[in-house]
Amino acid sequence: MSFNWKATGLFAAGVAFGTAGIKVLSSKDAKKAYTHCTAATLRAKDFVMKTVNTVQENAEDIYAEAKSINEERVAAAEAKAIEDAKEEEAKAAAKEVEKEETATEEKTEE
């Protein structure tokens, strides 16, 4: 049975690189880099949140204006319907008066 020196060497190299990697990742310089990256991420988050708030405020303003426009249109339509009904009522009353006048004229002619 032979000992596999290649596999043992690769394992030892992996352990060495892993240990060195952990040391590098936990060093002060790495911590400083992580801190700067986290700060940049927080700044980006703040910018995105400000933009989202602006968009939400604009959407609320647009919604309120659209609602107001629709309410004005409904009120105008109701006013027009009332006006049209009054006109129809006036026309019907005028026709009734005209019929009565015609009937009175026919009676006087007889």
Side-chain angles (χ1 to χ4, degrees), residues 8-50:
T8 304
L10 287 174
F11 176 76
V15 169
F17 282 123
T19 303
I22 290 172
K23 289 285 186 179
V24 169
L25 293 175
S26 63
S27 69
K28 288 182 181 180
D29 290 335
K31 184 178 178 183
K32 191 174 184 180
Y34 303 149
T35 304
H36 283 285
C37 288
T38 303
T41 302
L42 290 174
R43 286 192 303 271
K45 177 190 164 229
D46 289 341
F47 175 76
V48 168
M49 291 309 294
K50 285 179 186 175

